[in-house]
Amino acid sequence: MTTHFDYDLIVLGGGSGGLAAAFRAAQHGKRVAMLEPGELGGTCVNVGCVPKKAMWLAADLSARVGLAAAMGFDVPTRPTLDWKELVVHRQGYIANIHANYLKRLNDTGVVRVPRKGRLLDAHTVECSDGIRISGEHILLATGAHPQRPDIPGAELGSVSDDFFNLCSAPARVAIVGGGYIAVELAGLLQALGSRVTLLVRGERLLERFDAELTAQLAENLRHQGVHLHFNYRLRELRRDGTDILAYGHDGPVEPRFDQVFFATGRRGNSAGLGLEALGIAVGERGEVEVDDWQDTAVPSVHAVGDIAGKVGLTPVAIAAARKLMDRLFGGQPQARMDYENVASVVFSHPALGAVGLSEEEARQRHGDVRVYCSNFRPMLQALADANQRSLFKLVCVGEDERVVGVHLLGESADEILQGFAVAVKMGVTKAQLDDTVAIHPTSAEEVVLMR
């Protein structure tokens, strides 16, 4: 006897991973319901990648106007930004994405339920209005949210989501953290008119990236005017009139700010989903524990994206969701996400990108490691007599010098890295890069000219 379910797949969450799963399952001819009470697109579209990149592009334009002035153009060194006009363009772009998603849901027959949901059992979801629906498979794709530290006065600080509510650049800003969100906010706020102080708990920025490149990034940020304080332990925040005072365990460091942003990690949106009653394990950061196939301890329940706690990148969530749907519904039993050599970029100023192993990681895994570096000023920076430097690095292992890591800090690093990520995935060697004719004059040519 075949059990009848209302749907073949129920997706909890309408972010990048959930949408990718819903569309792929529908392509395989399956009946799909998606529960999402908020705007479609999740963190990436609404308070992450997309609006962040819009603000990054604005900050990049501001910096380039300054370079233009240094090269003789009759423009102000510090151009004035109509922040509200920028937000209008940004939100218009996002509205178009929302409209596109809605059209695709309608075209593919995916049923959108604008409600939250929680699991009652391995195949049943109860919507927040009390209606229950059943599915052969349930996918958790509810994402994550930014955390505040447990300190006195934490409510006085803002989180990364709040950045997108700004209508102007705060004059004095403190950003607490040293990860990619902290670095990205620091660079673009400094470029758009704020005086930024970065309060970093650790000894360096971006601990998951190559140390040599992050040291150069820190130097570039200092040249841009960002104040960096490492080994800083924030103790509390206090209000003094319109000012926020930040106190560390070693005493105040430039303690008065107009706004303080916490970039101190994210927590999976697993609370209230009914997971514990089903025996689905949840980690200390709220992430749902899954195996290499995106399966939880309950065979019919799966998870992708930030809530799955693996690699917190939008393209990874999308790829993992599609692979999972191909396995469940597409007749591809071996389909699964390969988490090795996933390229990622921090939209700092300039951008920092990496694929593969850092030098430190390579030395831990491989005995025979050889590193090649190029530290240079890009042509525009040199022409304008500016201080920003690029640092490119190759990490190679073995007698054939297989490239296991490509690390780029500099202008257009985000665009350059994509092609080299393909090469690393295919097992490129240093000799093959050496045999590639350079495109001159570019920054990208440095990757094939290192000796």
PDB file of all heavy atoms in Angstrom, residues 156 170-172 238-245 255-260:
ATOM      1  N   LEU A 156      21.996  48.243  22.741  1.00  0.00           N
ATOM      2  CA  LEU A 156      22.346  49.529  22.134  1.00  0.00           C
ATOM      3  C   LEU A 156      23.045  49.359  20.784  1.00  0.00           C
ATOM      4  O   LEU A 156      23.136  50.313  20.017  1.00  0.00           O
ATOM      5  CB  LEU A 156      23.257  50.327  23.082  1.00  0.00           C
ATOM      6  CG  LEU A 156      22.669  50.676  24.455  1.00  0.00           C
ATOM      7  CD1 LEU A 156      23.724  51.350  25.318  1.00  0.00           C
ATOM      8  CD2 LEU A 156      21.454  51.571  24.303  1.00  0.00           C
ATOM      9  N   PRO A 170      26.526  57.122   9.339  1.00  0.00           N
ATOM     10  CA  PRO A 170      26.795  57.628  10.687  1.00  0.00           C
ATOM     11  C   PRO A 170      28.213  58.205  10.753  1.00  0.00           C
ATOM     12  O   PRO A 170      29.131  57.657  10.144  1.00  0.00           O
ATOM     13  CB  PRO A 170      26.658  56.385  11.571  1.00  0.00           C
ATOM     14  CG  PRO A 170      25.892  55.397  10.749  1.00  0.00           C
ATOM     15  CD  PRO A 170      26.246  55.679   9.335  1.00  0.00           C
ATOM     16  N   ALA A 171      28.380  59.301  11.476  1.00  0.00           N
ATOM     17  CA  ALA A 171      29.681  59.969  11.500  1.00  0.00           C
ATOM     18  C   ALA A 171      30.754  59.091  12.126  1.00  0.00           C
ATOM     19  O   ALA A 171      31.861  58.950  11.591  1.00  0.00           O
ATOM     20  CB  ALA A 171      29.575  61.290  12.247  1.00  0.00           C
ATOM     21  N   ARG A 172      30.452  58.482  13.273  1.00  0.00           N
ATOM     22  CA  ARG A 172      31.426  57.669  14.003  1.00  0.00           C
ATOM     23  C   ARG A 172      30.837  56.276  14.212  1.00  0.00           C
ATOM     24  O   ARG A 172      29.809  56.133  14.872  1.00  0.00           O
ATOM     25  CB  ARG A 172      31.761  58.309  15.349  1.00  0.00           C
ATOM     26  CG  ARG A 172      32.332  59.734  15.265  1.00  0.00           C
ATOM     27  CD  ARG A 172      32.234  60.416  16.616  1.00  0.00           C
ATOM     28  NE  ARG A 172      30.840  60.521  17.057  1.00  0.00           N
ATOM     29  CZ  ARG A 172      30.455  60.932  18.280  1.00  0.00           C
ATOM     30  NH1 ARG A 172      31.375  61.269  19.163  1.00  0.00           N
ATOM     31  NH2 ARG A 172      29.179  61.001  18.587  1.00  0.00           N
ATOM     32  N   ARG A 238      27.392  51.590  26.746  1.00  0.00           N
ATOM     33  CA  ARG A 238      26.580  52.495  27.571  1.00  0.00           C
ATOM     34  C   ARG A 238      26.076  53.638  26.705  1.00  0.00           C
ATOM     35  O   ARG A 238      26.714  54.025  25.718  1.00  0.00           O
ATOM     36  CB  ARG A 238      27.402  53.076  28.732  1.00  0.00           C
ATOM     37  CG  ARG A 238      27.920  52.074  29.728  1.00  0.00           C
ATOM     38  CD  ARG A 238      28.735  52.783  30.803  1.00  0.00           C
ATOM     39  NE  ARG A 238      29.485  51.855  31.641  1.00  0.00           N
ATOM     40  CZ  ARG A 238      30.407  52.233  32.521  1.00  0.00           C
ATOM     41  NH1 ARG A 238      30.698  53.532  32.653  1.00  0.00           N
ATOM     42  NH2 ARG A 238      31.042  51.332  33.244  1.00  0.00           N
ATOM     43  N   ARG A 239      24.957  54.190  27.100  1.00  0.00           N
ATOM     44  CA  ARG A 239      24.395  55.354  26.414  1.00  0.00           C
ATOM     45  C   ARG A 239      24.760  56.619  27.180  1.00  0.00           C
ATOM     46  O   ARG A 239      24.655  56.671  28.392  1.00  0.00           O
ATOM     47  CB  ARG A 239      22.878  55.215  26.321  1.00  0.00           C
ATOM     48  CG  ARG A 239      22.156  56.440  25.796  1.00  0.00           C
ATOM     49  CD  ARG A 239      22.317  56.597  24.308  1.00  0.00           C
ATOM     50  NE  ARG A 239      21.548  55.610  23.556  1.00  0.00           N
ATOM     51  CZ  ARG A 239      21.563  55.509  22.246  1.00  0.00           C
ATOM     52  NH1 ARG A 239      22.341  56.320  21.526  1.00  0.00           N
ATOM     53  NH2 ARG A 239      20.831  54.598  21.626  1.00  0.00           N
ATOM     54  N   ASP A 240      25.220  57.637  26.454  1.00  0.00           N
ATOM     55  CA  ASP A 240      25.499  58.945  27.035  1.00  0.00           C
ATOM     56  C   ASP A 240      24.925  59.991  26.082  1.00  0.00           C
ATOM     57  O   ASP A 240      25.583  60.396  25.125  1.00  0.00           O
ATOM     58  CB  ASP A 240      27.001  59.151  27.226  1.00  0.00           C
ATOM     59  CG  ASP A 240      27.320  60.497  27.884  1.00  0.00           C
ATOM     60  OD1 ASP A 240      26.382  61.118  28.436  1.00  0.00           O
ATOM     61  OD2 ASP A 240      28.477  60.932  27.819  1.00  0.00           O
ATOM     62  N   GLY A 241      23.699  60.395  26.324  1.00  0.00           N
ATOM     63  CA  GLY A 241      23.018  61.284  25.395  1.00  0.00           C
ATOM     64  C   GLY A 241      22.761  60.572  24.083  1.00  0.00           C
ATOM     65  O   GLY A 241      22.164  59.499  24.047  1.00  0.00           O
ATOM     66  N   THR A 242      23.235  61.147  22.999  1.00  0.00           N
ATOM     67  CA  THR A 242      23.082  60.497  21.696  1.00  0.00           C
ATOM     68  C   THR A 242      24.262  59.591  21.369  1.00  0.00           C
ATOM     69  O   THR A 242      24.235  58.888  20.350  1.00  0.00           O
ATOM     70  CB  THR A 242      22.933  61.551  20.582  1.00  0.00           C
ATOM     71  OG1 THR A 242      24.095  62.386  20.575  1.00  0.00           O
ATOM     72  CG2 THR A 242      21.683  62.401  20.802  1.00  0.00           C
ATOM     73  N   ASP A 243      25.278  59.593  22.213  1.00  0.00           N
ATOM     74  CA  ASP A 243      26.472  58.778  21.966  1.00  0.00           C
ATOM     75  C   ASP A 243      26.326  57.391  22.569  1.00  0.00           C
ATOM     76  O   ASP A 243      25.639  57.194  23.581  1.00  0.00           O
ATOM     77  CB  ASP A 243      27.712  59.436  22.571  1.00  0.00           C
ATOM     78  CG  ASP A 243      28.084  60.729  21.860  1.00  0.00           C
ATOM     79  OD1 ASP A 243      27.536  60.983  20.772  1.00  0.00           O
ATOM     80  OD2 ASP A 243      28.934  61.457  22.398  1.00  0.00           O
ATOM     81  N   ILE A 244      26.996  56.432  21.945  1.00  0.00           N
ATOM     82  CA  ILE A 244      27.157  55.099  22.512  1.00  0.00           C
ATOM     83  C   ILE A 244      28.613  54.946  22.918  1.00  0.00           C
ATOM     84  O   ILE A 244      29.519  55.193  22.121  1.00  0.00           O
ATOM     85  CB  ILE A 244      26.765  54.003  21.505  1.00  0.00           C
ATOM     86  CG1 ILE A 244      25.303  54.149  21.087  1.00  0.00           C
ATOM     87  CG2 ILE A 244      27.009  52.620  22.099  1.00  0.00           C
ATOM     88  CD1 ILE A 244      24.891  53.193  19.989  1.00  0.00           C
ATOM     89  N   LEU A 245      28.830  54.574  24.166  1.00  0.00           N
ATOM     90  CA  LEU A 245      30.190  54.393  24.680  1.00  0.00           C
ATOM     91  C   LEU A 245      30.521  52.909  24.704  1.00  0.00           C
ATOM     92  O   LEU A 245      29.747  52.104  25.245  1.00  0.00           O
ATOM     93  CB  LEU A 245      30.333  54.975  26.084  1.00  0.00           C
ATOM     94  CG  LEU A 245      30.605  56.494  26.186  1.00  0.00           C
ATOM     95  CD1 LEU A 245      29.441  57.284  25.607  1.00  0.00           C
ATOM     96  CD2 LEU A 245      30.844  56.902  27.623  1.00  0.00           C
ATOM     97  N   PRO A 255      36.077  55.716  22.760  1.00  0.00           N
ATOM     98  CA  PRO A 255      34.850  55.037  23.171  1.00  0.00           C
ATOM     99  C   PRO A 255      33.546  55.607  22.624  1.00  0.00           C
ATOM    100  O   PRO A 255      32.514  54.948  22.716  1.00  0.00           O
ATOM    101  CB  PRO A 255      34.876  55.172  24.691  1.00  0.00           C
ATOM    102  CG  PRO A 255      35.624  56.447  24.930  1.00  0.00           C
ATOM    103  CD  PRO A 255      36.657  56.503  23.854  1.00  0.00           C
ATOM    104  N   ARG A 256      33.533  56.815  22.071  1.00  0.00           N
ATOM    105  CA  ARG A 256      32.269  57.439  21.686  1.00  0.00           C
ATOM    106  C   ARG A 256      31.944  57.206  20.211  1.00  0.00           C
ATOM    107  O   ARG A 256      32.744  57.516  19.337  1.00  0.00           O
ATOM    108  CB  ARG A 256      32.308  58.943  21.983  1.00  0.00           C
ATOM    109  CG  ARG A 256      32.303  59.260  23.465  1.00  0.00           C
ATOM    110  CD  ARG A 256      32.218  60.761  23.725  1.00  0.00           C
ATOM    111  NE  ARG A 256      32.158  61.010  25.144  1.00  0.00           N
ATOM    112  CZ  ARG A 256      31.032  61.049  25.842  1.00  0.00           C
ATOM    113  NH1 ARG A 256      29.874  60.894  25.213  1.00  0.00           N
ATOM    114  NH2 ARG A 256      31.049  61.260  27.140  1.00  0.00           N
ATOM    115  N   PHE A 257      30.732  56.683  19.994  1.00  0.00           N
ATOM    116  CA  PHE A 257      30.305  56.398  18.630  1.00  0.00           C
ATOM    117  C   PHE A 257      28.844  56.796  18.452  1.00  0.00           C
ATOM    118  O   PHE A 257      28.076  56.850  19.414  1.00  0.00           O
ATOM    119  CB  PHE A 257      30.476  54.910  18.316  1.00  0.00           C
ATOM    120  CG  PHE A 257      31.881  54.412  18.484  1.00  0.00           C
ATOM    121  CD1 PHE A 257      32.271  53.749  19.636  1.00  0.00           C
ATOM    122  CD2 PHE A 257      32.825  54.634  17.494  1.00  0.00           C
ATOM    123  CE1 PHE A 257      33.571  53.304  19.800  1.00  0.00           C
ATOM    124  CE2 PHE A 257      34.135  54.197  17.646  1.00  0.00           C
ATOM    125  CZ  PHE A 257      34.504  53.533  18.805  1.00  0.00           C
ATOM    126  N   ASP A 258      28.501  57.069  17.202  1.00  0.00           N
ATOM    127  CA  ASP A 258      27.103  57.314  16.880  1.00  0.00           C
ATOM    128  C   ASP A 258      26.342  56.010  16.680  1.00  0.00           C
ATOM    129  O   ASP A 258      25.133  55.940  16.899  1.00  0.00           O
ATOM    130  CB  ASP A 258      26.993  58.167  15.609  1.00  0.00           C
ATOM    131  CG  ASP A 258      27.625  59.536  15.798  1.00  0.00           C
ATOM    132  OD1 ASP A 258      27.096  60.322  16.598  1.00  0.00           O
ATOM    133  OD2 ASP A 258      28.668  59.797  15.162  1.00  0.00           O
ATOM    134  N   GLN A 259      27.048  54.977  16.223  1.00  0.00           N
ATOM    135  CA  GLN A 259      26.423  53.677  16.029  1.00  0.00           C
ATOM    136  C   GLN A 259      27.467  52.587  16.178  1.00  0.00           C
ATOM    137  O   GLN A 259      28.618  52.749  15.772  1.00  0.00           O
ATOM    138  CB  GLN A 259      25.756  53.581  14.654  1.00  0.00           C
ATOM    139  CG  GLN A 259      24.819  52.392  14.499  1.00  0.00           C
ATOM    140  CD  GLN A 259      23.737  52.649  13.462  1.00  0.00           C
ATOM    141  OE1 GLN A 259      23.726  53.669  12.783  1.00  0.00           O
ATOM    142  NE2 GLN A 259      22.802  51.723  13.337  1.00  0.00           N
ATOM    143  N   VAL A 260      27.051  51.477  16.793  1.00  0.00           N
ATOM    144  CA  VAL A 260      27.905  50.303  16.966  1.00  0.00           C
ATOM    145  C   VAL A 260      27.226  49.128  16.279  1.00  0.00           C
ATOM    146  O   VAL A 260      26.044  48.853  16.520  1.00  0.00           O
ATOM    147  CB  VAL A 260      28.141  49.978  18.457  1.00  0.00           C
ATOM    148  CG1 VAL A 260      28.919  48.667  18.606  1.00  0.00           C
ATOM    149  CG2 VAL A 260      28.864  51.115  19.150  1.00  0.00           C
TER     150      VAL A 260
END
